[in-house]
């Protein structure tokens, strides 16, 4: 039997995020900052070792959350993000103890309790729904997510793509074809948005590739799959690879630089980097 996700420890490669939470659906209302913040809350809960305790609740300081995001972020911005996370209802596909495939519709957080005053000791208290925690307790597939990578990104589609690749990073193969409808759902594209292929490529695929290739330790290529040259793409093929030590060092330097001018720098770096076939 595969090892349980909750038994894994966070390390330099990131914290173990369950596949069930990486492949959530109906998450299009979450912004990039929300996805990055939720990962910090999940890591905090995971590292506590109390995810399976019936009445487990957690508390984390605003100071820590501000440090993760940006020195210039205010508590108000973080509170807004926490509210969006609590309100959104996602769909989580999982396999029950009996082996039945099921879908849970749930909030990611069942409550948040925040300090009113922005003092140095201000905190956020939060809880994760019981049903969701039961799914996490059974999960045996995970991807190691580095929270700092998500905070460095501005595109929510880039964060979703990054997590998809992290989930698949240790597979024997490095190539996978995914149905287009499923792919859009996993990226968190709103229903009916970017239906035109050119808009989908311009506003979803290109920004996601730019940031994943420029800010993570893994390279990725996306190819459209069509039944014939003039047909609309019905699927995508993902190809991913581990970067060289020199490339990973360059990525780390960029993550430590200011976000000002980052997109221009990434465009220059990515366009001059050869993509392996």
């Amino acid at each position: 039997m595969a090892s349980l996700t909750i038994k894994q420890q966070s390390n330099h490669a990131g914290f173990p995020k369950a596949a069930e939470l990486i492949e959530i659906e109906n998450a299009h209302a979450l912004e990039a900052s929300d996805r990055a913040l939720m990962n910090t809350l999940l890591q905090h809960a995971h590292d506590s070792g109390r995810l399976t305790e019936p009445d487990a609740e957690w508390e984390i300081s605003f100071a820590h959350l501000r440090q993760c995001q940006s020195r210039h972020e205010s508590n108000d911005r973080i509170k807004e993000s926490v509210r969006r996370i609590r309100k959104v209802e996602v769909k989580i596909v999982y396999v029950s103890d009996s082996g039945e495939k099921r879908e849970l519709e749930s909030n990611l957080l069942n409550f948040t309790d925040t300090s009113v005053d922005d003092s140095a000791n201000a905190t956020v208290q939060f809880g994760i729904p019981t049903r969701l925690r039961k799914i996490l307790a059974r999960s045996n597939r995970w991807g190691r997510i580095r929270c700092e990578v998500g905070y460095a990104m501005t595109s929510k589609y880039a964060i979703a793509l990054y997590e998809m690749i992290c989930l698949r990073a240790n597979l024997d193969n490095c190539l996978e074809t995914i149905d287009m409808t499923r792919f859009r759902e996993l990226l968190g594209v709103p229903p009916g948005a970017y239906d035109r292929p050119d808009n989908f490529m311009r506003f979803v695929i290109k920004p996601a590739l730019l940031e994943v290739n420029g800010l993570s330790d893994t390279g990725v290529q996306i190819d459209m799959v069509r039944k014939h040259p003039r047909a609309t793409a019905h699927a995508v093929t993902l190809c991913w690879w581990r970067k060289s030590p020199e490339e990973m060092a360059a990525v780390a330097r960029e993550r430590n630089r200011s976000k000002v001018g980052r997109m221009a720098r990434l465009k220059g770096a990515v366009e001059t980097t050869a993509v392996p076939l």
Side-chain angles (χ1 to χ4, degrees):
M1 179 178 177
S3 300
L4 295 177
T5 304
I6 60 171
K7 297 295 185 182
Q8 310 308 310
Q9 301 294 319
S10 296
N11 56 33
H12 70 279
F15 83 97
K17 184 174 182 179
E20 291 83 354
L21 284 181
I22 290 177
E23 297 186 328
I24 55 175
E25 300 180 13
N26 296 343
H28 51 269
L30 295 177
E31 299 179 3
S33 59
D34 306 335
R35 285 180 174 266
L37 180 61
M38 185 62 198
N39 279 340
T40 299
L41 299 182
L42 284 172
Q43 179 170 9
H44 183 70
H46 175 88
D47 291 350
S48 73
R50 296 186 290 112
L51 265 175
T52 57
E53 294 180 6
D55 300 321
E57 298 176 358
W58 296 272
E59 185 171 19
I60 191 169
S61 69
F62 276 106
H64 177 76
L65 296 176
R66 286 198 309 273
Q67 183 181 22
C68 291
Q69 286 194 349
S70 167
R71 295 176 183 176
H72 306 293
E73 293 290 347
S74 67
N75 287 357
D76 289 340
R77 293 282 296 274
I78 295 174
K79 288 178 182 178
E80 290 174 7
S81 188
V82 168
R83 290 190 194 102
R84 282 192 298 269
I85 295 171
R86 179 178 56 79
K87 290 179 180 179
V88 70
E89 186 176 275
V90 300
K91 184 167 65 176
I92 300 164
V93 178
Y94 71 101
V95 178
S96 68
D97 289 335
S98 64
E100 180 186 10
K101 191 173 183 180
R102 299 182 64 87
E103 294 179 352
L104 171 69
E105 293 185 3
S106 170
N107 299 99
L108 293 169
L109 302 175
N110 59 354
F111 81 87
T112 57
D113 187 335
T114 60
S115 299
V116 175
D117 298 325
D118 291 340
S119 66
N121 297 321
T123 64
V124 178
Q125 298 173 356
F126 65 96
I128 299 175
T130 302
R131 285 279 184 135
L132 177 54
R133 288 194 287 112
K134 288 181 179 179
I135 292 173
L136 298 182
R138 289 196 301 268
S139 173
N140 58 13
R141 292 179 58 229
W142 68 88
R144 289 199 173 273
I145 307 299
R146 298 181 65 178
C147 291
E148 64 270 26
V149 175
Y151 282 118
M153 296 175 172
T154 59
S155 166
K156 64 180 182 181
Y157 306 124
I159 297 176
L161 178 62
Y162 162 68
E163 294 188 11
M164 289 174 61
I165 297 302
C166 289
L167 180 60
R168 294 159 171 78
N170 293 323
L171 297 177
D172 292 334
N173 63 306
C174 58
L175 194 70
E176 182 177 347
T177 298
I178 303 175
D179 175 79
M180 180 63 75
T181 301
R182 171 71 171 159
F183 183 62
R184 286 172 58 92
E185 190 66 63
L186 292 177
L187 287 184
V189 181
Y194 310 123
D195 283 340
R196 287 177 46 181
D198 56 336
N199 285 339
F200 182 63
M201 180 61 68
R202 178 182 178 186
F203 296 108
V204 178
I205 298 298
K206 287 186 176 180
L209 285 175
L210 187 66
E211 292 195 316
V212 172
N213 284 326
L215 297 170
S216 78
D217 293 341
T218 305
V220 60
Q221 179 178 323
I222 298 177
D223 292 321
M224 299 294 149
V225 179
R226 298 176 172 84
K227 294 182 179 179
H228 57 80
R230 294 185 179 182
T232 301
H234 65 277
V236 299
T237 296
L238 296 181
C239 174
W240 60 92
W241 61 92
R242 187 74 172 172
K243 291 180 179 176
S244 68
E246 294 77 16
E247 290 172 324
M248 288 192 283
V251 163
R253 288 194 298 270
E254 179 56 46
R255 286 202 302 262
N256 290 327
R257 298 178 68 180
S258 169
K259 286 187 176 182
V260 178
R262 171 167 290 166
M263 297 307 288
R265 293 194 298 270
L266 291 183
K267 287 179 181 178
V270 171
E271 288 175 355
T272 56
T273 300
V275 178
L277 298 176

